[in-house]
Amino acid sequence: MRAARLIKMVLLLQTRASMTAAELARELEVSERTVSRDAQALSEAGVPVYADRGRAGGYRLVGGYRTRLTGLARDEAEALFLSGVPGALRDMGLQDTASAARLKVSAALLPSLRDAPRTAAQRFHLDAPAWFSEPRTPGLLPALADAVWDDRRVLARYRRDGSEVERALEPYGLVLKAGLWYLCARVADAEVFRVYRIDRFTAVDPGAERFRRDDGFDLPAFWEERAEEFARSVLRSEVVVRLSPEGVRLLPYALDPVSAKEGLGTSGAPDGRGWVTLTLPVESEEVAHDRLRGLGPEVEVLAPESLRRHCAEDAARAAALYRSAPG
């Protein structure tokens, strides 16, 4: 424990010109007294740590000293590729590993390049959770993340249709989509790949058995295909509409992207005013009513008749509001 902390202290001082005792204590999660003792231990071991006294003082390495202890361990190298997703690292229990990896990379950089991680972090940030929802971290996520990294088969129990099901799974990858975590796994006894919502798992038992990963498996391509299949599976109804040019532009913002894309693919030639007629696949008439209302006068529902009637009633109520004085 202390050896790892001493190495981290050297790496911190190697990446910065000087650090105060308070800054080192905060980074190392120890007291300032411990920092003083660690600096003394490093000095006795031949590492030239020098303490500047006074209000502007701090600790620094003397004479351009550079440690060679910058080799990345495998888990650190893997975690480094996720360092742009800090929330994901924290959820999977990899925050400390990634921090160590970043320190080693920073220590290996030339002095003129050492501010690159900071300047990049101020310009690019990936915010995976969705707006207007509290992010939820499933309790079993770290265990599944360990199994994914280690290609280790797990025995898992999860909720499905009001009951619990047990499966032996080969966890291939994790996906964070709009604040929800999903596991892409191969069912061990069926040789098929499936997607599971991690917050529906009730137990995960990683065994000692490791599985042989299919080198042809492409996680981003698999997820994209399954996500599109799922989106299509819930589009069980159809509505026929006419859209103005502005309605065509706004349609992808009002409807599910798959619904909008498929609907626009059915459109005929524009009429004299530029309006087009198309058939939209939708989840239900109620959902279509809710979403199409946002297009206002840029859309006219032609079928089914019941939806056209509801939209006409909405338009009549809106017209009545605007015919009278405000209030």
Side-chain angles (χ1 to χ4, degrees), residues 117-136:
R118 180 185 60 81
T119 56
Q122 293 302 319
R123 288 165 173 80
F124 302 100
H125 175 67
L126 176 60
D127 183 14
W131 286 101
F132 312 121
S133 63
E134 287 292 326
R136 292 172 293 177

Side-chain angles (χ1 to χ4, degrees), residues 236-295:
R236 302 186 180 94
S237 301
E238 288 185 346
V239 299
V240 182
V241 300
R242 291 178 67 242
L243 289 172
S244 70
E246 180 66 2
V248 170
R249 186 185 72 82
L250 294 174
L251 188 66
Y253 301 99
L255 266 64
D256 176 88
V258 173
S259 175
K261 180 181 177 182
E262 294 198 359
L264 291 171
T266 69
S267 64
D271 63 16
R273 297 167 54 207
W275 287 58
V276 296
T277 299
L278 51 86
T279 301
L280 292 171
V282 294
E283 186 174 345
S284 66
E285 186 175 321
E286 291 76 13
V287 170
H289 181 213
D290 182 61
R291 301 293 179 84
L292 292 174
R293 267 193 303 208
L295 296 178

Side-chain angles (χ1 to χ4, degrees), residues 18-35:
S18 176
M19 294 184 70
T20 66
E23 289 171 336
L24 282 168
R26 185 167 56 252
E27 291 281 354
L28 299 172
E29 298 181 348
V30 295
S31 67
E32 293 186 29
R33 179 182 289 272
T34 298
V35 168

Side-chain angles (χ1 to χ4, degrees), residues 12 44 73 76 84 117 145 162 168 203 254 268 273 312 322 327:
L12 284 167
E44 292 173 356
E76 292 171 342
R273 297 167 54 207
Y322 285 98

